[in-house]
Amino acid sequence: MNVLLIEPRSCYLGLSPGLAYVSAALNAAGHKTQGVSLTNHRHYPPHRLQKYFVETLKPDWVGYSIYYTSVEEMNRNLRDLRAYYKGPVVVGGPQLN
């Protein structure tokens, strides 16, 4: 399975430790993962980045990390994502779970 993992804009540069662990576990189980940190791409709007990576990588499902500080951004990003991606989306994070 091809999985796209998205890290919202946050205090982390790159993937958070939690999302990196998820990626490692999926890779160990034989899945292909690609992580995208929206923090590292501040000069692009999040909806454009997501669309680019979804259209380029064609994931079977998308994993989205969330923090209590990013709920509003995540809601906007997920609404945008649903406009062009109809596959499963899994949302999780330290404050959510």
Side-chain angles (χ1 to χ4, degrees):
M1 232 179 227
N2 190 20
V3 181
L4 174 61
L5 300 172
I6 299 175
E7 183 76 44
R9 291 188 172 149
S10 68
C11 60
Y12 293 106
L13 291 176
L15 296 182
S16 67
L19 208 55
Y21 288 136
V22 169
S23 179
L26 289 169
N27 287 330
H31 302 289
K32 180 181 173 188
T33 62
Q34 176 68 45
V36 176
S37 170
L38 300 181
T39 301
N40 290 358
H41 302 281
R42 287 197 181 269
H43 47 284
Y44 294 108
H47 66 280
R48 287 184 54 204
L49 282 170
Q50 289 180 152
K51 187 172 185 180
Y52 169 78
F53 282 106
V54 166
E55 290 175 349
T56 302
L57 300 172
K58 299 181 182 5
D60 296 308
W61 62 271
V62 172
Y64 207 104
S65 182
I66 183 172
Y67 304 94
Y68 71 93
T69 58
S70 63
V71 172
E72 290 180 26
E73 177 188 349
M74 186 210 61
N75 285 334
R76 282 190 308 271
N77 293 348
L78 290 178
R79 272 193 302 275
D80 291 338
L81 182 66
R82 280 299 179 208
Y84 51 84
Y85 178 73
K86 304 303 180 199
V89 177
V90 177
V91 178
Q95 291 97 14
L96 183 65
N97 295 342

